[in-house]
Amino acid sequence: IGKIQRFLIEHSWERGFKFFENPEKRVDKVAVIGSGPAGLSCASELAREGFQVTVFEACPEPGGVIRYGVPPYRFDRNFLKHELDDVTAMGVEFKCNSRIEGREGAEKLLKQGYRAVFLAPGLWEAVQLKSGERDIKGLYNSVDYLVKVREDFQELIKEIQGKTVAVIGGGSVAMDCVESALKLGAKDVYLVYRRSYAQMSAEQDERLTCLNHGAHFLLLNQPVDFITDGDNSIKGLKLLRTNLGEPDESGRRRPVEIEGSEWILDIDVVIEAIGNKALEDSPAWYPNVELDKKKLIKVDTETGATSVKGIFAGGDIIRGPALVVEAVQDGKVAAKAINKYLGEYEDDMSRQNTARPSAASKGTYKEKPCYNRKVLGCYSTDLSIDFCGIKFKNPFLLSSSPVSNSAEMVARSFEVGWGGVVYKTLGSDRIHIIHPSPRMNAYHYGSKKLVGLQNVEQITDRTLKDNLLDILYLKKKYPEHIVIASLMGFSNEEWAYLAKVSEDNGADMLELNFSCPHMTVEGSGAKVGQVFHLIEKFTSTVKRVVSIPVIAKMTPNITDMTEPAIYAKRGDADAISAINTVAGISEIGLDDWVPKPNVFGVGAPSGYSGPAVKPIGLRFIAEMAACEDLRLPLSGIGGIETWIDALEYLLVGASTIQVTTGIIHYGYRIVEDMIEGLSDYMEERGVSTVKELVGKALPNLKETDHFDLERQGITQYNLDICIGCGQCYIICNDAAGQAIEWDYEKRRPKLIEDKCLSCMICSFICPVPGLITFKEMPKDWKRRQTAVMDKDLEKDLKYEPFKANT
């Protein structure tokens, strides 16, 4: 994708194509500190919205690490020049040789009229192997070395050519140092790293490139000192061999030095690429901004906001040395947040300076919204929701299913925006789970793919220990995301054990699986969900041993779900989730007569999901939400693929939404559309929080005897957009009220109004959206009674009207 994008950009430059039009200018000024990837990204995004952006850069030219820290063979300066020209053309001002320093330098900019400041100064001080004397010939740090590679390549050849070079480190910067030393003509280049190959933070292709070009990887060796000769030149590197111990804070196994394993590597040049850190005086620029123990700036990961109002940050200064693409994303995230922040500021000013509308002008007053929210994803709405006393960042969750089978999968979902997960159902390992093969079958309808999905997958086939480790990892890595452990036991003791270990290992909530319709183990899943006293018993057992909320998951393979849900409530359940898959048969093989999925000649009724089951899910959620005896929070599941599907579940009473088949069809990315769509809908409707939507449709949902039968209507046709296909004529005569005549000359339908049943079938099959609509008729309008074919037959009819026995 990156190569395609670069080609398109360069091609557009050759054609003279302009990406962006200059926007209408706004009065707000924003300061960006640093012109590296994060700073340029933030500056260009803000400039596109019309802000007056000034970039302060300490170096003589803009570009940051791209200009001064990336070797020339990896990044063409002409490309950077074009990028900078585009940014400048949008109105961004660059002030080079302008280092922001001194006490409260960043906050002083706010006092000088800048409405916001984005800190992206990078990490320009190298971490050293040892403190003390640095005036050693042949010793370089990665920062100075890579600047020299870009600025003074020919001079550096004299210092490296024919020499034996050691590069200390295992990250991307170390790989750049290794490859550039080889290009400078080094005799041998050793990469010295204290961990193993698998523990390196550099990308796989970077490592392979260095190996293919002839570098030697000296692994599991810890550098401890430099050996110098009489004129203070590097002659060797003192090393200690290491073994790998337990994981450290980074998640990688910690190197442990082996006593007595000291040895010396003969060397002429050493390049320290251990890592970079913030400049020693930089924290003084922003003394009130909260820092971590490494002096990196702490930010809200969703917005890039620091602890000081109006100051945002991104790039290496918030996470340490990382990929350029991550820094670029930081800039975009912060730009969205700054746009929202300044939009809210202007709203506040508008409210202060604008009189409230009088009654006469009501409806004409409109406060200034946040600029271009749809483009920048900046909303004033709040998608967070409280569910059982726990705050979810948004209502969208992975359901307990194949899409939530491991920490690696769940982490991918969290990165793209899912608010939480109901982790794949855990078992106690007492019963070994083996999934049938194949385990799924798709139900397609015409050209529509995956209308339904039948599966015979059971609970997890992974060990309980592995799953608990995954839950521990997810809660450590993503503390703001909610992890719900789904459980299935086969006895009181197992339910209690699974509940306790899940809570002990970090689960925020539990979901009890009383609903899987195709377990191969008797006495589990939907078999329990159909025996209501067992629901109460097992729920009560779990509640006695844990302090976290417990959700009972209902089976749809019954007629009335409120009854088992009330039994779960008697067992002290905190919430109900529904529905699980509907037992069904999706397809029969016409050649072998075996229902699918065909497991070596045998099929079986099993769980059916997908868009086709949404009406069933909505009905069950609505009935439970309306049940006065239940009154528990609900989590909606079944057929959810779009934000509209999710919204419908909210409107009938669900507070959170769980998704499986939609992800199987389109991937985790669908949550981005759900978030955007729901946010846009809420803004357009003036709804501030998701909670305001929950159950909004319930007052309008009644039994059919509440219909007003006095009001009747018919269809109406916009013949100006009719294409004359005749589908409405065929369907009305074959499946409705025979209320359409056909004009063969004009190829248009003609409605016989008093025969129209207002069934609306014609509108469902019409290929032109909006052509056929409903029209209410006056109170005195009467529909013609359907005629009897032959009145002469009445004399032969054996019939007398029914008379009630009063």
Side-chain angles (χ1 to χ4, degrees), residues 565-621:
I566 288 171
Y567 273 83
K569 183 178 181 179
R570 291 178 186 172
D572 289 331
D574 298 285
I576 302 294
S577 60
I579 58 175
N580 205 321
T581 52
V582 179
I585 300 172
S586 59
E587 188 179 358
I588 308 292
L590 301 185
D591 295 327
D592 54 17
W593 305 338
V594 178
K596 297 184 180 181
N598 181 335
V599 184
F600 301 102
V602 177
S606 60
Y608 183 70
S609 63
V613 307
K614 185 181 78 170
I616 302 171
L618 288 172
R619 169 226 160 178
F620 278 127
I621 290 293

Side-chain angles (χ1 to χ4, degrees), residues 162-174:
K163 303 286 182 67
T164 302
V165 177
V167 177
I168 303 172
S172 296
V173 173

Side-chain angles (χ1 to χ4, degrees), residues 540-590:
S540 179
T541 295
V542 169
K543 283 293 291 182
R544 283 197 298 268
V545 298
V546 298
S547 58
I548 56 179
V550 174
I551 310 166
K553 187 173 184 179
M554 299 289 101
T555 175
N557 300 301
I558 53 176
T559 55
D560 181 4
M561 192 176 287
T562 58
E563 188 174 0
I566 288 171
Y567 273 83
K569 183 178 181 179
R570 291 178 186 172
D572 289 331
D574 298 285
I576 302 294
S577 60
I579 58 175
N580 205 321
T581 52
V582 179
I585 300 172
S586 59
E587 188 179 358
I588 308 292
L590 301 185

